[in-house]
Amino acid sequence: MVSPDSGYASSNEGAPAAKSPTHKSQSLPPSDGIDTTYLRFLASNAEAGSIIGKAGTTISDFQSRSNARIQLSRNYEYFPGTSDRVIMVSGTTDEVLEAVELILTKLLNEFYAEDGDEGEPRSKVRLIVPNSSCGGIIGKGGSMIRSFIEDSGANIKISPQDHNYIGLNDRLVTVIGTLQQLVQAINLILFKLSEDLYYLQSIGPPFPYAAPYNAPSNYGPNGGGGKFQNNRFQNNKEDMSNSVTVGVADEHIGIVVGRGGRNIMEISQISGARIKISERGDFISGTCDRKVTMTGSQRAIRVAEAMIMHKVASASTPPPPADMNPDHLSVENLSVQ
């Protein structure tokens, strides 16, 4: 049995081509059947398990019926700042839309429909879109996203770019509505994205982000103190762990850790590095700086250190006025009630 806790990346190789009777795009040109596109969106662990199905039967059925490829990130690979996994559907435009409709239909029936409810149940889908491609969805003065909202009847919101996660170049496009509204809105969005050459060329693995901090790894134990780098191997494996210790002023440790450890956990998750902070009073010799030890690959350590320094710098820098960041204020709350 394949559960939500197991990694699963499925391919449609060898699967027979299938017709797509359940969904055809309306008032839009059909796919040429040649170009490959893709769509990524979020799903909880429970929803991921539903999509996979017992022993992978559901995902195999969806792939066979749509002829699209459906891949999921592993159970510990969450989109930064969330506890949701990433689903990627790839194929021709019609194949992707077919598979997405099959997935949404199943999720809506299992997680959103309730006995006794009047009218069609509403749900939401959070699409992952490269920041550079969001402009095409928004359009000049928000004209494009407004037309999508009017044509589909769905609510569409585009999140601000999150600068708290270094290396994260994606934004979330949240679509809310009935199944028909979701499918139509996604139809419009995907066709627009597929006109973007950068979007088409950016196709990659379902989870292109740094390995999360709690992922299985070949890291050795945390390194000791001192401002030095120590390279070592574990169990003769090729993956090399490095350990670097830097000093952070005692009064800034709180902003690095965050409430309930939130900040340091996010830094670890994004960078892939393990982070250990010395106890109170345990300073780097001759200073009042606490020891912050980062363990992982050289890249992970560089990202973690940059994020830590960014947090420290933000502690003494006031945030910019709200009107200094109008990029998405005019569109992020557009909706149709």
Side-chain angles (χ1 to χ4, degrees):
M1 175 181 294
V2 180
S3 70
D5 294 328
S6 60
Y8 196 96
S10 183
S11 168
N12 66 336
E13 293 180 4
K19 297 180 180 180
S20 304
T22 59
H23 174 77
K24 289 295 180 182
S25 56
Q26 299 296 323
S27 68
L28 289 169
S31 168
D32 58 14
I34 299 175
D35 293 336
T36 297
T37 188
Y38 71 100
L39 194 70
R40 291 193 300 146
F41 55 98
L42 303 186
S44 66
N45 256 334
E47 291 171 335
S50 175
I51 294 167
I52 294 170
K54 185 177 181 180
T57 54
T58 302
I59 195 171
S60 297
D61 176 58
F62 287 173
Q63 289 187 125
S64 178
R65 292 166 63 183
S66 67
N67 207 35
R69 185 181 185 188
I70 304 173
Q71 298 171 279
L72 289 83
S73 64
R74 297 179 178 86
N75 69 309
Y76 54 82
E77 292 178 333
Y78 300 136
F79 184 80
T82 76
S83 57
D84 294 317
R85 291 162 69 176
V86 177
I87 300 175
M88 186 172 81
V89 183
S90 57
T92 66
T93 303
D94 284 339
E95 290 167 351
V96 171
L97 291 171
E98 172 88 11
V100 169
E101 183 172 0
L102 290 169
I103 292 171
L104 294 182
T105 300
K106 181 173 179 59
L107 295 183
L108 191 142
N109 289 335
E110 289 191 11
F111 294 94
Y112 294 92
E114 296 182 3
D115 294 336
D117 280 355
E118 296 183 0
E120 291 186 67
R122 293 166 61 87
S123 62
K124 72 177 179 180
V125 179
R126 287 174 293 172
L127 309 177
I128 304 171
V129 177
N131 182 59
S132 60
S133 299
C134 286
I137 298 176
I138 295 171
K140 187 175 182 179
S143 59
M144 187 62 65
I145 193 171
R146 286 191 179 94
S147 71
F148 289 171
I149 291 171
E150 293 172 359
D151 293 343
S152 67
N155 297 345
I156 303 175
K157 300 179 182 179
I158 300 181
S159 70
Q161 186 174 9
D162 194 338
H163 297 285
N164 291 324
Y165 301 95
I166 294 177
L168 176 62
N169 298 312
D170 295 324
R171 288 160 73 174
L172 294 178
V173 177
T174 302
V175 185
I176 304 174
T178 64
L179 176 61
Q180 182 179 358
Q181 291 170 341
L182 293 177
V183 170
Q184 179 64 6
I186 292 172
N187 187 340
L188 294 165
I189 291 170
L190 181 60
F191 266 88
K192 187 62 181 177
L193 289 173
S194 297
E195 296 174 356
D196 181 353
L197 184 60
Y198 173 82
Y199 179 82
L200 296 176
Q201 292 176 340
S202 66
I203 187 171
F207 192 83
Y209 315 106
Y213 74 99
N214 59 343
S217 66
N218 296 324
Y219 296 166
N222 289 334
K227 290 192 175 183
F228 63 91
Q229 179 170 303
N230 180 31
N231 299 333
R232 58 185 178 277
F233 291 90
Q234 178 185 359
N235 297 331
N236 295 322
K237 293 186 177 181
E238 294 182 0
D239 290 345
M240 182 169 62
S241 286
N242 309 287
S243 181
V244 173
T245 298
V246 298
V248 173
D250 193 39
E251 63 267 25
H252 290 149
I253 288 295
I255 190 65
V256 173
V257 175
R259 180 176 296 180
R262 173 183 172 87
N263 289 351
I264 196 168
M265 285 191 293
E266 288 179 345
I267 293 171
S268 294
Q269 184 177 14
I270 296 300
S271 68
R274 290 184 178 180
I275 303 173
K276 181 179 180 181
I277 298 176
S278 63
E279 299 293 335
R280 291 181 182 273
D282 185 5
F283 301 132
I284 291 178
S285 180
T287 74
C288 292
D289 294 342
R290 301 266 288 275
K291 303 172 186 176
V292 179
T293 302
M294 299 160 287
T295 303
S297 68
Q298 292 183 357
R299 177 185 178 279
I301 290 173
R302 285 197 301 268
V303 172
E305 184 174 3
M307 293 182 73
I308 289 171
M309 293 302 106
H310 177 75
K311 289 290 185 185
V312 171
S314 68
S316 56
T317 303
D323 59 1
M324 293 295 290
N325 188 22
D327 178 38
H328 38 75
L329 293 181
S330 60
V331 299
E332 65 176 331
N333 291 319
L334 287 175
S335 64
V336 171
Q337 300 300 330

